[in-house]
DNA sequence: AACCAAGTTGACGTTTACGTCAACGTAACT
DNA sequence: AGTTACGTTGACGTAAACGTCAACTTGGTT
């Protein structure tokens, strides 16, 4: 009695994520996605949706596809105790990387604020 | 009576920023740097140091060299009122982009936290 | 003088992440 | 049956960001 999950076509995904079918197939060829098939057609589920969302966000944050693939693999369960431990380690590594990025962006924004003040001051001075 | 500023060679920079001389020359060819010359040798100053630092950080945040070049240009004064206004607009644009990145990283980190909890719970369950 | 370290300018090669055809399959209308 | 829309798998092309030589210069060192 499980509700029939919503599915998506490859062009549904392309529109939804403002990308191309070519790119989506490429991610699959690189092992980031593995959609079901209806004949030869790809059928995407909500799980694929989540993964692609992660991929696209990763792109905007400058992550490589290899890094996003690592992250995706962390979100797969599949494990004994040793595997779980490895996942926890990878999570810790990822957290450090993200923390570092976070810090660098905050830094960049502060410098931007400072520069804005300088420019505004220069404008006032020039108007006197 | 201005103090003689410290200068750097291209390999000084390569070491300092953990990159290569080739990359640094490439940034120059792309218009991101414009060091002075002593004969044919490049002489870098603190201003160049700041710019390269910005470039490298940009790389870690997934910015293109074109984007970093735009940022660098914002940090050059050189302007009448119209130019200043344009710079302020660009600063506003950059701030929005950075804010968006900031938000997405925070999001990613929260998901990482959630996943960590799930994995730890799965480990405990397995041990019972 | 000979040599070595560090620098220079081409020029071509490479990796990542797709774009762009071409040639074909298939389901749904008309 | 014919067309249209959407999908498929190759295969080759491309932009960004350098890597990797090759051939040369230049300033000290033995």
């Amino acid at each position: 009695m499980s509700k029939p999950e919503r599915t998506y076509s490859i062009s549904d995904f392309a529109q939804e994520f403002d990308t191309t079918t070519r790119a989506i197939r490429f991610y699959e060829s690189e092992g980031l996605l593995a959609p079901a098939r209806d004949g030869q057609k790809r059928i995407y589920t909500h799980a694929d949706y989540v993964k692609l969302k992660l991929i696209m966000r990763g792109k905007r944050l400058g992550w490589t596809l290899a890094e996003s693939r690592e992250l995706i693999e962390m979100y797969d369960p599949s494990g004994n105790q040793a595997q779980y431990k490895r996942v926890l380690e990878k999570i810790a590594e990822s957290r450090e990387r993200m923390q570092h990025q976070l810090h660098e962006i905050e830094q960049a924004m502060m410098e931007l604020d400072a520069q804005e003040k300088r420019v505004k001051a220069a404008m006032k001075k020039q108007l006197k």
Side-chain angles (χ1 to χ4, degrees), chain A:
Chain A
M1 295 291 178
S2 59
K3 45 186 165 183
E5 200 187 356
R6 195 207 151 168
T7 63
Y8 309 79
S9 73
I10 192 166
S11 46
D12 287 341
F13 263 24
Q15 280 196 23
E16 185 82 18
F17 291 99
D18 192 29
T19 182
T20 66
T21 59
R22 176 64 180 93
I24 297 173
R25 285 194 202 94
F26 179 69
Y27 302 148
E28 179 177 349
S29 77
E30 293 294 303
L32 291 124
L33 295 173
R37 297 277 179 140
D38 169 24
Q40 61 170 4
K41 284 186 184 172
R42 292 168 172 82
I43 303 294
Y44 297 90
T45 67
H46 178 69
D48 297 313
Y49 187 99
V50 171
K51 289 179 186 178
L52 187 46
K53 199 170 174 184
L54 195 151
I55 295 169
M56 301 309 281
R57 186 176 60 198
K59 289 197 42 154
R60 290 188 294 271
L61 294 174
W63 306 349
T64 65
L65 290 185
E67 287 169 331
S68 290
R69 180 174 46 210
E70 281 256 308
L71 266 181
I72 287 175
E73 285 164 0
M74 289 183 212
Y75 286 89
D76 285 346
S78 83
N80 51 32
Q81 293 290 317
Q83 298 264 342
Y84 280 145
K85 248 195 91 181
R86 283 236 53 212
V87 170
L88 287 183
E89 286 167 13
K90 287 191 174 187
I91 286 178
E93 286 173 30
S94 296
R95 181 158 25 230
E96 274 202 51
R97 270 202 73 228
M98 293 183 194
Q99 212 117 42
H100 192 218
Q101 277 197 310
L102 196 69
H103 184 238
E104 295 208 294
I105 289 189
E106 283 169 350
Q107 191 86 19
M109 289 185 71
M110 285 177 56
E111 292 173 16
L112 214 58
D113 291 352
Q115 181 59 9
E116 183 173 35
K117 284 186 184 173
R118 276 195 293 275
V119 172
K120 284 184 176 173
M123 288 181 78
K124 279 195 180 177
K125 195 177 171 187
Q126 207 179 67
L127 283 180
K128 274 194 302 189

